[in-house]
Amino acid sequence: MQQISEKVVAGLSVPVKGNKVHFFSGATLQGKKAPAGFGVRVTAGGTKSFVLFHRVDGRKYLETLGRWDENPQGGTLTVRDAIIKADKLAKDLKNGRREDPRPERTRRMQDGDDPEGLKIGGANNSALKPEERDPEQKQPGLLDMFVERYCLKEKALKSADQYASTFRRLVAPDIGDLPVFGEGRLRRSHIVDMLDEIEDESGPVMADRTLAYLRKGFNWFAARNEDFTNPIVKGIREVGTNARDRILNDDELRDLWAALEVVENVPACYPRFVKSLLLTVTRRNEAALMHSSEIDGNDWTIPADRYKTGIDHLIPLSAAACELIGEKPDGANGNSWFIFTTTEGAKGFSGFSKAKRELDKAIAKIRTEAGREPMPRWVLHDLRRTGRSLMSRAGVPADHAERCLGHVIGGVRGVYDRYAYIEEKRAAFEALAALIERILNPASNVEELAGRRANK
């Protein structure tokens, strides 16, 4: 019986040009048997991907399952994982559980772009490197088409890669999953919330640039589809007038925590992720990409290459924050995984907008049932600002609190004082966690205080 292994795949020959598919139908590995049509495609550049050959109505299709995780440029599948995925796909095809088994590229070539089900997208266009594209995005979105057809083909813009990168990093995680038409479609408020987050995390210049890119993309699509109306209107954002100072009060924090316990239709990691934003006073993307390699005991170091100041930032995790880390995902490879993940550790959490909408619904339900007014609009970055305010309330010295947020201290002290303030920051984060606990459980605090008074 034919065998396959990581070593076998590593030893597959590389063609001089084009690509070559090595089939391993019926090959076994650790008790898993590859279905008919399973193979490994090797390109002239040495990249190896797993594929499955199948037929639909007599037509032949070679569908890509994913890239081998031992490629020099990375990938998502081990050999065993690829066999399992191929076997599931083959069974779905056989039993009719898949509505359209054609690969995405084939569907686009044969059917064209179908407005029904079209989403904003932005994470899977051809201007991105293959490893940057989202393997879970099945259909190209509006922004993907804009980059591919307008930026790359019609205008051949030198800045096409900037458009693509901006959409992938800043737009797709927030509004990429929203439909262009129909129920739940993109609205102006979604764009405003997203721009607020971008300004808080990346600055007003980046927010304005993102808005300009979106406006051009939406205008391009509006010229092609008479049913689409560009939601970006004049005055949606004016430079220098969007600074936010929103801080959640105690009631809002209690409602938020209560909603995180009951919210539905969100990834299992989402409640832990949101709580971590407050307990570590970090920015959204910094927490979303928290990686096991960055954690040493109870200390989390965000590396300089993904921190806003360009300097390593050490966060001593409080006991409450440590509880949010969770266990190693079942499908994680080795000792390396993302903490907040929906892909068994392979990728950090994204899909912020969809989950945030579900969370807002849960908060609204709690307030409605209690006969209270709706919660004022808020964004995830408001939790960082709230955490800073709570530190002052907890008696943390301003200098220590600023270092907890990773702000660069100006003047002579900022340049020459190399003392890391680790223990001071540790005390500050514990004080923050303790205050949050008192806010969330005010009744128990009253009982504790009464008990202390009775014992005096």
Side-chain angles (χ1 to χ4, degrees), residues 174-175 188-201 237 242-249 252-253 256 270 273-275 277-278 282-285 352-353 355-357 359-360 363 375-387:
D174 258 316
I175 63 173
R188 198 168 301 145
S189 59
H190 297 141
I191 298 175
V192 171
D193 285 347
M194 179 190 68
L195 293 175
D196 283 343
E197 292 277 9
I198 294 174
E199 178 171 358
D200 285 336
E201 294 201 354
R237 174 181 169 80
N242 292 275
R244 289 177 57 83
D245 57 4
R246 174 83 159 91
I247 292 174
L248 275 64
N249 61 38
E252 291 171 336
L253 287 177
L256 170 59
Y270 187 68
F273 163 70
V274 174
K275 292 177 181 178
L277 294 177
L278 181 60
T282 46
R283 301 175 181 87
R284 185 187 63 176
N285 288 339
F352 304 110
S353 183
K356 174 62 162 49
R357 291 194 298 274
L359 177 57
D360 285 339
I363 294 175
M375 183 166 165
R377 190 177 74 87
W378 69 289
V379 298
L380 292 179
H381 193 82
D382 294 336
L383 295 176
R384 175 173 162 88
R385 195 177 299 106
T386 301

Side-chain angles (χ1 to χ4, degrees), residues 260-304:
L260 288 171
E261 296 300 322
V262 299
V263 62
E264 299 178 345
N265 302 318
V266 299
C269 70
Y270 187 68
R272 293 187 292 113
F273 163 70
V274 174
K275 292 177 181 178
S276 76
L277 294 177
L278 181 60
L279 286 165
T280 64
V281 291
T282 46
R283 301 175 181 87
R284 185 187 63 176
N285 288 339
E286 292 163 1
L289 298 179
M290 182 190 293
H291 196 270
S292 61
S293 63
E294 299 171 355
I295 298 175
D296 182 12
N298 291 343
D299 293 335
W300 170 30
T301 300
I302 305 177

